[in-house]
Amino acid sequence: EKIEVAGVAIKADLGRVTLTGLPNKPGVAAAIFAMLADHQILVDDIIQTVVPNGEGGSAVTVSFTVEHSDLADLPPVMDKVLEAVGGGKSTIDVGFSKVSAVGVGIRSHAAVAAVMFRALADAGINIANITTSEIKVCTIVEKADGERALRAIHDAFGLGGG
Amino acid sequence: EKIEVAGVAIKADLGRVTLTGLPNKPGVAAAIFAMLADHQILVDDIIQTVVPNGEGGSAVTVSFTVEHSDLADLPPVMDKVLEAVGGGKSTIDVGFSKVSAVGVGIRSHAAVAAVMFRALADAGINIANITTSEIKVCTIVEKADGERALRAIHDAFGLGGG
Ligand SMILES: C[C@@H](O)[C@H](N)C(=O)O
Ligand SMILES: C[C@@H](O)[C@H](N)C(=O)O
């Protein structure tokens, strides 16, 4: 089937916050993002995964990216977030880029992801995070790999313009 | 600041696959999605989070949703995926809906997320997964909560049409 990728895009210089050990019950995500919104933190993307933790419960991971300019404000805000939530642990990592393949109504993300992720693997670039929408597959990579990742994906989809 | 949500959407009846214990190195994500693409699995969204695992390494979680109609094909394909990757564990859960708030160029996901997640919390609905794009904040909830979640978010953003 025709793979419908029309372009690639990069958003350089993102920071990433990862929250673990959060209670998995209604109100937790609301508390996190209300605090961030109140402090005008510009949140780029949000991802949450959940895995069974072998004790009949589940371990939730919430991760979000922020613009580099907002990173200095984050540490005290994250303290307030954990206080509002009543638990958990927060890690702030810096120096990432978001590199995306952009399509027009991607029918199956598997086909686009297979080509895109193979291109990154062949370039020796590790994928730290993944997020998708109907028109995009986005990867978070180390900032130092960003431009090279963009070119590798661009070439893998046979996009023009060199 | 004005919250730019124009509508809500629901995609009912999704299954979700969660992969843990994967090696975190180039080529792993490529192997997973090449296998899924080869077996024509219709993958909806993909999310990957990573947390430090206290041994200097990192624990990666890859989660993706699939259309209900593809669920029966999944178990043998996931066995092949783990074989191709050389490790890891796969869990298949069924009975989810994806409920989204749709905006026009959302500037800060924090503001939209705060309102949306508060609406779900007030309705007593737990958020299992979260994914975003420039125009959407999407939550995965239990299928039984889907329609109620849609209405709660619709009302929270003051959208018309009852
Ligand atoms: C972890 C968090 O998303 C929680 N499940 C909530 O609904 O708020
Ligand atoms: C886990 C997986 O995404 C791996 N980091 C890769 O780049 O393929």
Side-chain angles (χ1 to χ4, degrees), chain A residues 80-153:
Chain A
K80 290 186 179 184
V81 165
L82 295 184
E83 196 178 341
V85 163
K89 184 164 166 294
S90 167
T91 314
I92 300 173
D93 298 298
V94 303
F96 294 100
S97 290
K98 180 167 76 172
V99 183
S100 308
V102 187
V104 186
I106 296 173
R107 234 175 73 71
S108 174
H109 285 105
V112 173
V115 172
M116 181 180 183
F117 300 168
R118 173 48 42 196
L120 294 174
D122 289 347
I125 295 169
N126 198 50
I127 301 165
N129 300 90
I130 300 166
T131 186
T132 60
S133 72
E134 279 78 5
I135 61 166
K136 283 190 181 187
V137 179
C138 308
T139 55
I140 298 290
V141 299
E142 290 293 323
K143 185 178 164 195
D145 293 333
E147 288 299 329
R148 212 158 52 78
L150 191 73
R151 268 201 308 282
I153 297 165

Side-chain angles (χ1 to χ4, degrees), chain A residues 5-29:
Chain A
V5 169
V8 291
I10 185 167
K11 197 168 191 175
D13 249 334
L14 294 169
R16 180 189 64 197
V17 179
T18 305
L19 294 162
T20 54
L22 299 169
N24 186 13
K25 56 178 184 173
V28 170

